[in-house]
Amino acid sequence: MPTPFEHLQSLDRLVHEPARLAILVALSACDKADFLFLLNITGLTKGNLSSHLSKLADAGLVAIEKTYEGKTPITYAKLTLEGKEALKAYWKRVDKVRQGIRQLKPLRST
Amino acid sequence: MNDVERIAFVTRRFDELKGLQTALAGAGLLFGAVAGGFLSASSGYAADPFQSVMFGAIAFGYGHQLFWRRYRDTFGRIQPGRFDVARLVAMPTFGLIVGAVIDMASGGHRQWPSYAAVGVAVSSAAILIRDGRWRPHYMIPLAAGLLGVAVTAAVPPLAFALPHAPDPRRAAVYLFAYMMLGLSVMAAGLLDHLLLARTLTPRQQGDSRASATARMRAASRHTPWAALSALVALVTLAARSPYMTVMMPLAVASSFFCLTIAQACVNTVRLARRFPHGTLPHEPFAFDVHTAAAVFLVAVGALIDGVRLDAAPMVSAVAIALASGATALRDWPVRRHYLAGVAAALVAIAIMRRPSSADAFTTLFFAAAAALTFETYRDGRLARAAVATTECTDADAI
């Protein structure tokens, strides 16, 4: 049986990073969200958010969709099927870590 | 983990947490009920509680026009997931709107509880069951809804009441129930909005002068509404007709409706001129906890006065003076013109000692609306001047 630390090591680092996790969690709660909404909900700067979204898009977890409303460009981000699976797998692993920690019994002092 | 849950919750309930439209509908219902009670108290006519429903509906429509674009431009946009019946029932205003329509259709001539109160109680209970951890403030509309049900079910109708005229006994309890419902829905809407704004907006780092300018720009949008209200109140005072006095809420609601249509037409023309690529300019929010507290203070004052209709609306006048004074002090000296609201309320208090409660209410309404017209007009001028000064400074820097 793997130890909790082995589960911890197996966490997907792309998803585990707090800013990217926040983006993925927000996107998992809706169909799609625009850049301004993600900026507000994560509290990141424009540059940081753009960089994290690029990483997630490169990994295929998020799909970026660019449209126009009048002259205003709007960038939507959407969680892909792969992204949904990755997030689900991430929460499963976190749960396993928590379960593993609960099952640990302190050593009895002799 | 708490942050992650909060992000998921706010994203999932984003549309429902845009609470200012709900708050405005509640404020409209409260104002309509209080005005209806006061204006009929000394006129000899029975108050029609459904005027207040109409006022709430107009306020709801105005709120949509006023806030929809500003929410979108300030907080961004999402495409929510699947929409189902459970979600519809748990919309904050769903129960109120459906119940109020059934109330209007049934006329309140039978000993049934107010459907609006039942609707508010059911919607609030649904929200509490689903989101109780994040939105415990829905206990307020739930309590108000249950109280409204109890009060309206307890009073039997008059045996000889005419089918198309309001039953005076039932009308009085309906007005009381609508006051309670209006205030509670308003409180829940404001707290929803504050939850959304606190989660989504990063803490303001700018100087207080810049945020005062934003607040002045936001307030200056209300000048036409305040001016129209003052005009209707002035005409009502000048006419000295009991029938016109009773119909004042309907006159205000109708004039607001016309103004909403006129503004929608102006916006359509402005959009058409910019076709095919144009959009209307971005207008961010400047609605914070101080503004919410000031608005809520006036609403509580109105409710206290509304419960004791025989006296002049002194508590409302004091609340208006306090709210205006607090606004002036917060943005002193830029918005010291808000002392006009304090002066208007004090003058109204002095005048209100003599006339009937209907005239007293109309006098206070006129004084407050006239002061608000001046304050918001001045806000608009100062905001434009501040923007022009900033542009000059930026140009000098280049």
Side-chain angles (χ1 to χ4, degrees):
Chain A
M1 185 184 162
T3 65
F5 182 69
E6 280 167 330
H7 278 304
L8 206 56
Q9 268 190 318
S10 70
L11 286 178
D12 186 345
R13 284 173 190 243
L14 187 70
V15 180
H16 188 56
E17 202 281 328
R20 286 196 286 271
L21 182 62
I23 295 168
L24 290 174
V25 166
L27 292 178
S28 71
C30 62
D31 267 4
K32 58 183 178 182
D34 78 344
F35 192 80
L36 178 62
F37 179 81
L38 291 174
L39 209 58
N40 281 321
I41 200 141
T42 56
L44 296 170
T45 61
K46 284 181 183 177
N48 267 338
L49 178 61
S50 181
S51 148
H52 286 304
L53 276 176
S54 300
K55 278 181 191 163
L56 291 169
D58 289 346
L61 303 188
V62 162
I64 304 291
E65 181 187 314
K66 286 182 186 283
T67 59
Y68 279 88
E69 192 173 283
K71 279 182 182 171
T72 316
I74 301 163
T75 305
Y76 280 107
K78 184 181 174 136
L79 209 59
T80 59
L81 208 61
E82 211 176 315
K84 283 176 191 166
E85 291 298 323
L87 194 62
K88 209 190 269 179
Y90 172 79
W91 289 127
K92 261 188 189 169
R93 289 213 177 94
V94 170
D95 279 344
K96 276 185 182 168
V97 172
R98 286 175 61 189
Q99 277 174 7
I101 290 168
R102 277 190 200 137
Q103 283 165 7
L104 281 178
K105 286 175 184 165
L107 292 172
R108 282 187 184 173
S109 55
T110 52
Chain B
M1 195 58 73
N2 192 35
D3 283 347
V4 170
E5 284 176 22
R6 196 181 175 87
I7 286 171
F9 171 75
V10 169
T11 308
R12 195 164 287 126
R13 303 274 177 259
F14 182 54
D15 285 331
E16 293 174 37
L17 293 175
K18 295 173 181 173
L20 288 186
Q21 191 183 355
T22 308
L24 201 60
L29 187 65
L30 173 66
F31 173 79
V34 171
F38 266 109
L39 298 176
S40 61
S42 52
S43 67
Y45 289 93
D48 188 347
F50 306 115
Q51 273 196 43
S52 52
V53 172
M54 198 172 284
F55 212 90
I58 296 279
F60 188 70
Y62 173 53
H64 181 74
Q65 187 194 328
L66 189 65
F67 298 124
W68 175 73
R69 284 188 60 248
R70 296 167 79 191
Y71 269 119
R72 190 197 63 187
D73 293 347
T74 308
F75 296 132
R77 58 201 97 191
I78 67 164
Q79 194 168 308
R82 199 166 51 88
F83 195 87
D84 50 24
V85 176
R87 208 165 148 184
L88 181 70
V89 172
M91 292 292 279
T93 42
F94 176 77
L96 179 64
I97 291 168
V98 171
V101 168
I102 301 175
D103 272 353
M104 283 180 79
S106 64
H109 289 289
R110 294 188 186 177
Q111 195 171 359
W112 285 330
S114 157
Y115 290 99
V118 174
V120 168
V122 169
S123 282
S124 306
I127 292 171
L128 281 171
I129 290 167
R130 201 187 52 179
D131 304 329
R133 187 180 153 205
W134 297 100
R135 297 161 90 186
H137 48 267
Y138 272 85
M139 290 294 288
I140 306 169
L142 176 63
L146 293 176
L147 185 65
V149 168
V151 166
T152 48
V155 177
L158 289 174
F160 51 84
L162 294 171
H164 299 296
D167 176 340
R169 270 167 56 182
R170 297 273 293 162
V173 288
Y174 265 78
L175 280 182
F176 174 69
Y178 286 165
M179 282 178 213
M180 299 292 297
L181 294 180
L183 184 70
S184 65
V185 167
M186 184 184 170
L190 288 176
L191 290 168
D192 270 350
H193 172 80
L194 289 177
L195 173 65
L196 183 74
R198 282 188 176 161
T199 306
L200 287 180
T201 316
R203 197 166 282 281
Q204 295 284 330
Q205 297 295 327
D207 64 324
S208 60
R209 201 179 171 83
S211 45
T213 307
R215 281 195 285 273
M216 287 194 293
R217 270 183 63 194
S220 67
R221 286 177 58 91
H222 305 302
T223 309
W225 306 91
L228 203 58
S229 304
L231 185 68
V232 172
L234 188 64
V235 169
T236 309
L237 276 173
R240 302 215 147 272
S241 149
Y243 184 71
M244 272 195 76
T245 307
V246 173
M247 296 308 281
M248 195 184 82
L250 194 63
V252 175
S254 307
S255 56
F256 274 22
F257 180 72
C258 293
L259 191 55
T260 308
I261 299 286
Q263 280 197 340
C265 291
V266 169
N267 283 344
T268 309
V269 171
R270 284 168 67 197
L271 268 174
R273 277 187 182 166
R274 299 168 189 210
F275 185 80
H277 301 299
T279 51
L280 293 177
H282 171 94
E283 287 180 36
F285 269 115
F287 192 88
D288 51 19
V289 72
H290 299 278
T291 314
V295 171
F296 194 67
L297 180 70
V298 175
V300 171
L303 179 73
I304 294 170
D305 282 330
V307 173
R308 37 184 279 281
L309 293 172
D310 50 334
M314 291 293 180
V315 185
S316 300
V318 172
I320 289 168
L322 285 175
S324 295
T327 307
L329 284 179
R330 183 185 51 170
D331 295 330
W332 190 269
V334 188
R335 296 174 93 188
R336 60 179 178 268
H337 51 276
Y338 269 73
L339 290 178
V342 180
L346 293 177
V347 169
I349 287 172
I351 296 173
M352 281 191 306
R353 288 167 192 271
R354 289 191 296 274
S356 67
S357 59
D359 282 349
F361 179 83
T362 315
T363 305
L364 176 64
F365 185 62
F366 169 70
L372 196 64
T373 307
F374 167 71
E375 289 160 354
T376 52
Y377 174 73
R378 185 103 185 100
D379 272 346
R381 289 190 63 130
L382 287 172
R384 277 193 293 277
V387 169
T389 313
T390 314
E391 280 171 3
C392 286
T393 318
D394 291 347
D396 292 345
I398 297 166

